Amino acid sequence: MSQQHARPGSRTPSVKDVAAAADVSLGTVSNVLNRPERVSPTTRERVERAMADLGFVRNESARQLRAGTSRTLAYVMLDATNPFFNDVAQGIELAAEDADLSLFICNSNGRAAREEAHLDRLLQQRVQGILITPVNADAPHLDEIARRGIPIVIVDRHRDSGAFCSVGVDDVLGGRIAVEHLIEQGHSRVAFVGGPDSIGQVRDRLEGARRLWAEFGRNPEDLVWLPTDALTVSEGRSAGERLAGIAGRRRPTAAFCANDLLALGLLQQAVSAGARVPEDLAIVGFDDIEFAAAAAVPLTSVRQPRQELGRAAAKLLLDEATNPQHRHEQATFIPELVARASTANRPGASA
């Protein structure tokens, strides 16, 4: 058979062209594409050879439109610059690969309007399901996704209504663990570094810190909140400058940061200003990303099981998409403290 690959600018070969070249019916070509087991090996080989000779490429978009869905999942992450969410995405991708699905990754960058725009486009793409770490877990546009019949799972957050499946870590407990560790190290003035408070994880971690502080009978004014505009290294450095500007005995001797990027920025600023970590300033982060252990002063952090979160969320999504008996679940992982040199024992600290 002569080579008939489409030239640049020429018409794309169609199913009709393949059928004519292979001297078979349109139905036979359709079966080769969708149900190859129904076609004899000899005929299937003839059709596949015609496809190759013509340079035929299957129109996957058209197939998806007919089927009403695609072989694709999507993850709308909160911040693509944060290694934590990339690790979560890896866990999702591994589960998607096991199910022979592809994964779209979108980044809201912590902006609700951008998140909503991504969701609108994903609806148009007819993705099989959506995983999302939302700016606000109670946002009404999440309900709209569910009303359209698209399975959706909330990742790294929970929604009290139980209207969706969700997978997350107990952030309130994480805040308690971090501050209890600092109290055990002998600190009586602690800063909480994190923001904006529109992000649910920030609110929950601060709430946990405040609850624990109150249970130990500490003065609320000695737990100082240093809000940030984002959860980034640069915002951590900025918070470090503000912390250094607090006068004398009112300055906290320890800081609990809402994530590791903030903690690493704070650590950079403190060391560059000549402060000793942890002697002058102890620092605890959150997430335990890979860079935490590799910092100049290895960072104490509250660990989340990052890839496990992603895998668990993807499995719930796939179950909702394929199982008529599916019931929503709210899976909660327990965080754990990983103590390193940034909070080493101080003189007078409790054992």
Side-chain angles (χ1 to χ4, degrees):
M1 187 178 290
S2 62
Q3 296 292 309
Q4 303 180 50
H5 288 288
R7 296 183 301 275
S10 65
R11 181 176 65 84
T12 301
S14 68
V15 173
K16 290 182 179 179
D17 297 325
V18 173
D23 193 23
V24 297
S25 68
L26 289 174
T28 298
V29 177
S30 176
N31 280 336
V32 170
L33 290 169
N34 300 297
R35 295 170 294 275
E37 71 281 356
R38 296 187 179 182
V39 184
S40 70
T42 301
T43 301
R44 187 166 66 243
E45 182 181 356
R46 191 163 78 247
V47 171
E48 289 172 345
R49 189 185 310 120
M51 291 177 181
D53 289 344
L54 291 170
F56 172 81
V57 177
R58 179 178 184 147
N59 188 338
E60 184 66 14
S61 296
R63 188 198 68 78
Q64 291 174 12
L65 285 170
R66 290 192 297 272
T69 187
S70 70
R71 298 290 299 167
T72 306
L73 305 180
Y75 174 41
V76 182
M77 63 172 64
L78 187 68
D79 180 6
T81 66
N82 188 338
F84 168 79
F85 294 111
N86 291 306
D87 289 344
V88 170
Q90 286 182 6
I92 295 171
E93 188 169 30
L94 289 170
E97 184 178 1
D98 289 343
D100 194 26
L101 298 173
S102 298
L103 178 67
F104 284 147
I105 296 180
C106 306
N107 174 32
S108 73
N109 200 28
R111 291 160 43 199
R114 185 169 177 176
E115 173 183 289
E116 190 168 2
H118 281 313
L119 292 173
D120 286 342
R121 294 189 187 100
L122 293 172
L123 281 173
Q124 295 169 22
Q125 294 292 325
R126 289 176 166 82
V127 295
Q128 191 168 132
I130 297 172
L131 303 107
I132 182 170
T133 302
V135 176
N136 175 12
D138 295 317
H141 54 254
L142 301 183
D143 296 286
E144 179 61 24
I145 298 294
R147 278 195 293 270
R148 298 282 191 92
I150 304 297
I152 182 169
V153 173
I154 295 176
V155 184
D156 196 38
R157 292 290 295 144
H158 290 297
R159 192 173 190 184
D160 293 338
S161 68
F164 309 111
C165 284
S166 64
V167 176
V169 166
D170 188 335
D171 285 306
V172 174
L173 176 60
R176 294 175 60 91
I177 290 171
V179 171
E180 183 174 27
H181 174 67
L182 292 173
I183 289 176
E184 290 173 347
Q185 298 302 305
H187 296 280
S188 58
R189 294 182 305 283
V190 173
F192 175 80
V193 179
D197 63 358
S198 59
I199 297 175
Q201 293 92 326
V202 173
R203 293 195 304 271
D204 287 352
R205 292 166 195 176
L206 176 56
E207 179 183 349
R210 284 173 168 166
R211 285 185 188 178
L212 193 284
W213 197 254
E215 289 174 14
F216 272 76
R218 300 302 177 90
N219 185 342
E221 294 183 357
D222 289 331
L223 180 62
V224 180
W225 180 23
L226 295 178
T228 60
D229 292 333
L231 300 169
T232 61
V233 171
S234 61
E235 283 293 303
R237 287 194 293 263
S238 175
E241 293 171 356
R242 283 181 283 150
L243 183 62
I246 298 176
R249 298 182 62 182
R250 298 300 305 163
R251 182 185 308 145
T253 59
F256 165 40
C257 299
N259 78 349
D260 284 341
L261 296 183
L262 287 170
L264 291 170
L266 180 63
L267 175 63
Q268 288 178 5
Q269 193 282 330
V271 171
S272 65
R276 297 170 302 162
V277 177
E279 292 84 358
D280 300 322
L281 179 67
I283 302 174
V284 177
F286 204 110
D287 292 336
D288 195 33
I289 61 175
E290 184 176 350
F291 299 122
V297 180
L299 182 67
T300 293
S301 185
V302 179
R303 174 179 291 168
Q304 301 197 69
R306 304 177 298 279
Q307 284 201 17
E308 289 87 342
L309 280 172
R311 273 188 174 275
K315 288 179 179 178
L316 286 174
L317 186 72
L318 292 169
D319 186 72
E320 182 173 355
T322 60
N323 178 10
Q325 307 302 319
H326 172 83
R327 301 184 69 175
H328 291 323
E329 296 181 29
Q330 283 69 50
T332 301
F333 288 82
I334 302 301
E336 60 177 316
L337 185 87
V338 180
R340 299 191 179 97
S342 69
T343 59
N345 285 339
R346 291 155 34 97
S350 59

